[in-house]
Amino acid sequence: MRAGRSAVVSAAPAAGIPSGVVMSRTIEISFARSAKPSDELSVLLAADGGRLGAAAQAVDPSGVLARAFRISGFRGKARATTEIVAAQGSPSDRIAVVGVGDPASPQPDGWARLGGAAAGQLGKARKATVFLDVPGIEIGAREAADFAFGMLLRAYSFDRYKTKKGEDDANGAAGKVAVTIVAAAATAAKKEFAAAQAVAEGVLLARDLVNEPANLLGPLEFAERARELGRLGVKVEILTEKEMKKLGMGALLGVAQGSVRPPRLAVMQWNGAPRNRRPVAFVGKGVVFDTGGNSMKPASGMEDMKGDMGGAAAVTGLMHALAARKATVNAIGVIGLVENMVDGNAQRPGDIVTSMSGQTIEVLNTDAEGRLVLADAIWYCIDRFKPAFAIDLATLTGAVMVALGQHHAGLFSNNDELAGRLLAAGLATQERVWRLPLGPEYDKLIDSKNADMKNIGGRYGGSITAAQFLQRFVKDTAWAHLDIAGTAMGSPATEISQGWASGFGVRLLDRLVRDNYEG
Ligand code: BES
Ligand code: MN
Ligand code: ZN
């Protein structure tokens, strides 16, 4: 355990809990077919109209909940919550109720979000019993496991550097809570949950990396976090500056040269399928801090640029998830780790660099650095591994936030099938993506007078010209680019996230792999 870490994700029965993942509360989840209500907190579900399941009888024998619903206006709307101090005769001190809405119209990603809403009701409880029982809904193993998954995601908060734990925590408490989930499908749910827990760990790892301040998470420290995946059976190589020089990664190195902290390229391989199966590949932008370099950013809000490694964090979290759940796929993760700083040796606007591909780039704006890092990381990945497809993730442009806000990532692809699968995985996980165009007219905008290309287009279509730039480094590989500037960081709180670092991309890509590339 690292210093200042408050707790480790856990679930009972615990299966090899990896370190590297923290949350404000340790939730120990167990499943049972039946159980007595906790003497502290019972959580019930209610369908629309406030209709309760059979479990309510034992929790609320005097039936005061109906009255409480009337007073509070609680109608069982999906993810609405209400709570009461239990009446005399109840075995629990407190009863919380989570609405599931209309049983006939399930919500996308509904069970995880319901679990998140339930976790938001834990308060200071040390023990809680959740009864997954509601009229008109068959709650299977998958639903129960998703519910537990949502609880884990909601419980995370970044409080490693708070020396007074829990006092002003969003959940109002720190420490351990034992949650018993009572569900008819308990035995099967426990099995399903093992995989869900692996994915949760991946999401929380990604959030943790994004939340860490840049003074404590430089390229070397990030590379060490990637190396830790070795414990899960991931093969990890870390390329040094010298090795990258030898490979001719002039684009990535040009960005890195303004920082006293040297760059790294981490290569992660999870071999979960037979050797002869072509790997799938994921490439992440890992700018641990982006000052803009000599084309410097304004002071206001610059602190957010500690999150400019959200793409690399998602790739690392995804590799964790795939390995921890032993996905039957061969997957590659490549992350380019650099710091974009201002310095006597920092690159200048107008500099011309030669990328590993041999193509030359005129750097007209040192703040358009992410594409320079990715140009070499993508080329290296495709050249070495010849993957079935490559997907890159990057907090690449402010323009994508102007276009799509914070609720969709920008999707660019040269392959309709891959794009369609990403769109579908996005709807299933509610990590949504929205496709934007590519085309020769846009590509032309990055032609340069002095080199093969320049690293900025004009005023318009900034996310598109950034994507066109990347496309010049993918050869004919099936490729997709996810611009996650609006979704990975500065994110609003949701049922399953307390905000800022969302871990965006881990669930999306785990789902993409699970639904299309395993077996
Ligand atoms: N890391 C930024 C993009 C970004 C902005 C991410 C806001 C998250 C929130 C990227 O390196 C950048 O600075 N992009 C420039 C590109 C421009 C110079 C062509 C931008 O978006 O302004
Ligand atoms: Mn930048
Ligand atoms: Zn950047």
Side-chain angles (χ1 to χ4, degrees), residues 289-337:
F289 196 81
D290 181 13
T291 64
N294 277 317
S295 314
M296 204 176 191
K297 289 185 180 297
S300 167
M302 199 200 277
E303 65 276 13
D304 283 356
M305 287 302 122
K306 73 172 185 176
D308 207 18
M309 25 54 70
V315 170
T316 308
L318 173 69
M319 294 305 291
H320 178 111
L322 295 176
R325 70 173 181 77
K326 299 197 164 27
T328 55
V329 67
N330 294 331
I332 310 290
V334 174
I335 55 177
L337 302 167

Side-chain angles (χ1 to χ4, degrees), residues 415-496:
N415 185 289
D416 291 344
E417 186 182 48
L418 182 59
R421 288 173 172 178
L422 279 164
L423 284 159
L427 291 177
T429 57
Q430 288 294 290
E431 288 197 333
R432 288 168 293 175
V433 299
W434 197 262
R435 195 171 182 185
L436 294 166
L438 293 164
E441 305 88 336
Y442 298 111
D443 183 70
K444 219 171 58 187
L445 299 176
I446 54 168
D447 284 340
S448 157
K449 206 151 42 111
N450 301 310
D452 295 337
M453 68 194 90
K454 52 189 179 185
N455 76 331
I456 49 170
R459 219 167 102 65
Y460 302 135
S463 301
I464 304 175
T465 47
Q468 290 296 165
F469 184 96
L470 300 180
Q471 194 176 7
R472 292 191 180 200
F473 298 88
V474 304
K475 305 186 202 176
D476 54 4
T477 309
W479 157 78
H481 158 57
L482 299 173
D483 193 334
I484 60 173
T487 50
M489 50 190 275
S491 304
T494 68
E495 291 93 359
I496 57 169

Side-chain angles (χ1 to χ4, degrees), residues 41-408:
L41 170 66
S42 283
V43 181
L44 299 173
L45 301 182
D48 55 355
R51 291 174 296 127
L52 295 163
Q57 181 59 35
V59 174
D60 176 36
S62 51
V64 298
L65 274 174
R67 194 170 171 189
F69 291 174
R70 218 166 46 238
I71 298 165
S72 67
F74 177 83
R75 302 278 306 149
K77 241 182 63 193
R79 299 176 302 280
T81 57
T82 191
E83 67 164 311
I84 63 165
V85 174
Q88 279 276 310
S90 169
S92 306
D93 293 337
R94 197 154 62 86
I95 304 171
V97 186
V98 179
V100 304
D102 177 4
S105 49
Q107 312 270 318
D109 196 39
W111 286 95
R113 294 159 86 198
L114 288 172
Q121 297 297 308
L122 287 173
K124 292 179 162 39
R126 312 250 141 216
K127 279 179 292 167
T129 314
V130 182
F131 295 93
L132 293 189
D133 156 37
V134 69
I137 307 182
E138 182 93 43
I139 301 174
R142 192 56 188 271
E143 287 78 11
D146 277 357
F147 186 95
F149 176 64
M151 290 192 86
L152 293 183
L153 295 185
R154 173 61 175 268
Y156 169 87
S157 77
F158 184 66
D159 58 5
R160 179 171 302 154
Y161 303 110
K162 283 181 177 288
T163 58
K164 299 182 201 70
K165 298 290 180 205
E167 284 161 25
D168 51 5
D169 184 285
N171 278 336
K176 203 150 78 174
V177 52
V179 175
T180 304
I181 295 179
V182 182
T187 311
K190 207 179 295 183
K191 274 202 201 121
E192 287 271 350
F193 180 62
Q197 195 191 349
V199 181
E201 287 162 0
V203 174
L204 301 192
L205 171 57
R207 286 182 187 172
D208 236 11
L209 290 166
V210 170
N211 279 323
E212 282 286 352
N215 63 324
L216 301 176
L217 190 83
L220 269 62
E221 290 81 9
F222 197 134
E224 284 314 308
R225 298 294 295 266
R227 205 197 293 278
E228 281 178 27
L229 297 191
R231 272 185 294 107
L232 297 171
V234 177
K235 187 175 156 206
V236 185
E237 300 158 75
I238 312 284
L239 274 61
T240 62
E241 191 173 11
K242 208 169 124 193
E243 292 165 307
M244 287 188 269
K245 244 178 216 147
K246 223 162 125 193
L247 288 164
M249 295 188 175
L252 183 152
L253 291 169
V255 177
Q257 77 189 27
S259 173
V260 296
R261 300 195 283 183
R264 290 291 184 267
L265 190 92
V267 183
M268 298 165 266
Q269 299 183 56
W270 167 247
N271 296 312
R275 271 182 159 279
N276 59 6
R277 194 109 61 84
R278 260 175 104 186
V280 298
F282 304 93
V283 184
K285 168 181 174 182
V287 176
V288 297
F289 196 81
D290 181 13
T291 64
N294 277 317
S295 314
M296 204 176 191
K297 289 185 180 297
S300 167
M302 199 200 277
E303 65 276 13
D304 283 356
M305 287 302 122
K306 73 172 185 176
D308 207 18
M309 25 54 70
V315 170
T316 308
L318 173 69
M319 294 305 291
H320 178 111
L322 295 176
R325 70 173 181 77
K326 299 197 164 27
T328 55
V329 67
N330 294 331
I332 310 290
V334 174
I335 55 177
L337 302 167
V338 305
E339 182 172 46
N340 191 23
M341 295 294 273
V342 195
D343 177 80
N345 193 46
Q347 72 180 340
R348 297 143 290 255
D351 283 5
I352 295 175
V353 296
T354 303
S355 66
M356 183 182 170
S357 73
Q359 300 175 93
T360 57
I361 303 159
E362 187 178 21
V363 179
L364 291 184
N365 190 316
T366 63
D367 196 13
E369 86 297 342
R371 64 199 74 181
L372 298 170
V373 174
L374 285 173
D376 282 335
I378 291 172
W379 183 271
Y380 173 85
C381 176
I382 283 172
D383 191 53
R384 173 170 170 196
F385 295 106
K386 320 264 183 292
F389 67 73
I391 297 175
D392 76 79
L393 298 96
T395 50
L396 202 64
T397 66
V400 83
M401 304 164 73
V402 176
L404 300 177
Q406 296 188 290
H407 305 290
H408 286 82

